[in-house]
Amino acid sequence: MPVVVQIKRRKKLGQHRPLNIRLVLPRYYNPEKGQQHKPFMIFPNIVLPTLAAITPAPHKVTIVDENVEELHIPDDTDLVAITTYTRNVQRGYQIADECRARGIPVVMGGIHVSFMIEEALQHCDAVVSGEGEALWPQILEDVQSDDLKPVYQGGHSQDLNELPVPRWDLLKLERYFKPIPTLKMPIMSIQTSRGCPHKCDFCTVPVFAGGKMRYRDPAHLLREIDAYGAEFFSIADDNLIVNPDAAAQLFKTLAKRKLSWFGFFDTQTLKRPELVELAARSGCRRAFLGIESIHPNELATVNKKFNRPEKYEDLIRLFHRNGIAVDVGILFGFEDETVESTLETIEELKRCNVETAIFSVMTPFPGTALYQRTKDKLLHTDWDRYTGEEVVWAREGTDAEQTRRLLQLAFERFYSVPSIYKRVLSPRSHAQRKLLATISNLRFRSIIKHRFPEPLPPDFLRSARQARPAYA
């Protein structure tokens, strides 16, 4: 049922009156629904500092990241702009409703609302669909004229070389995640490209950012790196090596600065081992690989047949030979999953000495091909629960509770003390990878009890022992 908000009308601000703007990132968890644990790695969001840098003077801009600070929006605020993902959009709607009830105009953007425009317009005055940097100055002019349009349609034409250095000074940087407590600053984000040519069914990137790659001149990145003063960076590109020539140029540029970084690679990296060597020399310390499954039949169902499970071990060894730790993403929620297939996956990851694994339930996020295929089978649209921790759509022959138990089993087995020792702490593990990997594994162990407060049922554990006695 549509939300009805009583809106107080404000007087026109006037073309020359500076705006008092609040840029808001809603929290990623909802304590009102029993979600008491925050994500343990909160990075500074790059979207809002970029918008702040684009905002022309003399407008006043404040950024509020609700994941690290209390939300406060004063009465003299002229505009609230909220960026959201699916998992925090309902909190974004709540903030928007409260602001509009006070007569404060609200603009919303981000991946979720880009694909759910009608839903979002029940809560805000305007929606930015797609990339919004190029539209932002016009939006501010329309606010001053009291002439906000319902929808601002962004595209994939943003010239990435025109992006300014983000206003990181507007964030409370001391409150974000530091992989090593002694670092002066948290992990900072830089972006060198947008888009991805792959069309994985569960991914929003090809639709939101486009299938055609767009790149920044690496020289622009040095300007940002020098402005930050940070020692550790996250490269926020969705795929670093899809263009080998661009990747080589990027890594050679990053090598001009003494820094550490991690980024997203794909399994095609195995074909270009020289890129991994360049990445290591430029400061790459961790590589994330979305391998999703070790079973080819499962990969085929999500349009990711280019992943070759028989090549995973060689790929991981390639990174390890160059001193780079490997984090992998594994999906649950395929049909016909069993205890046996789950334990087989865990043993394969342990055999390859993968440092960290992110296990999640395949989720049909709006905008994805998976969503289009399953939207008539959704169990609910309680977006707070679209976290990758539970099944949200009905699947023939697959039990939601069974999937949840398999997910818990995977976390507990992979992050058991013997598993951590074998993968990370054994004498044959690479010394350069040990510190960060150990910290990550211990952090995962600490959150498992919060993510899965109830132990696995005895009958389920018995079936696990019977399935793989040697691994119990």
Side-chain angles (χ1 to χ4, degrees), residues 358-372:
I358 308 295
F359 305 106
S360 58
V361 176
M362 185 163 44
T363 304
F365 293 109
T368 63
L370 180 63
Y371 178 83
Q372 293 301 320

Side-chain angles (χ1 to χ4, degrees), residues 18 30 46 91 114-115 126 149 173 209 224 226 271 275 281 285 344 352 356 401 440 452 456:
N30 189 346
I46 197 172
R91 173 58 180 162
S114 292
F115 302 115
K149 311 299 187 296
L173 293 176
E224 291 193 18
D226 293 341
K271 300 176 181 179
L275 291 180
R281 288 201 292 269
R285 298 290 176 260
E344 182 182 358
C352 294
T356 309
E401 181 59 29
S440 297
F452 305 103
L456 288 168

Side-chain angles (χ1 to χ4, degrees), residues 70-116:
E70 293 294 325
L71 178 69
H72 175 60
I73 299 176
D75 289 335
D76 64 351
T77 302
D78 298 308
L79 174 67
V80 170
I82 304 172
T83 186
T84 63
Y85 305 90
T86 298
R87 69 177 300 172
N88 69 341
V89 73
Q90 288 186 174
R91 173 58 180 162
Y93 291 155
Q94 183 181 29
I95 295 169
D97 291 341
E98 293 170 356
C99 290
R100 294 179 77 213
R102 295 164 56 192
I104 303 174
V106 178
V107 176
M108 295 190 72
I111 295 176
H112 181 93
V113 300
S114 292
F115 302 115
M116 303 294 286

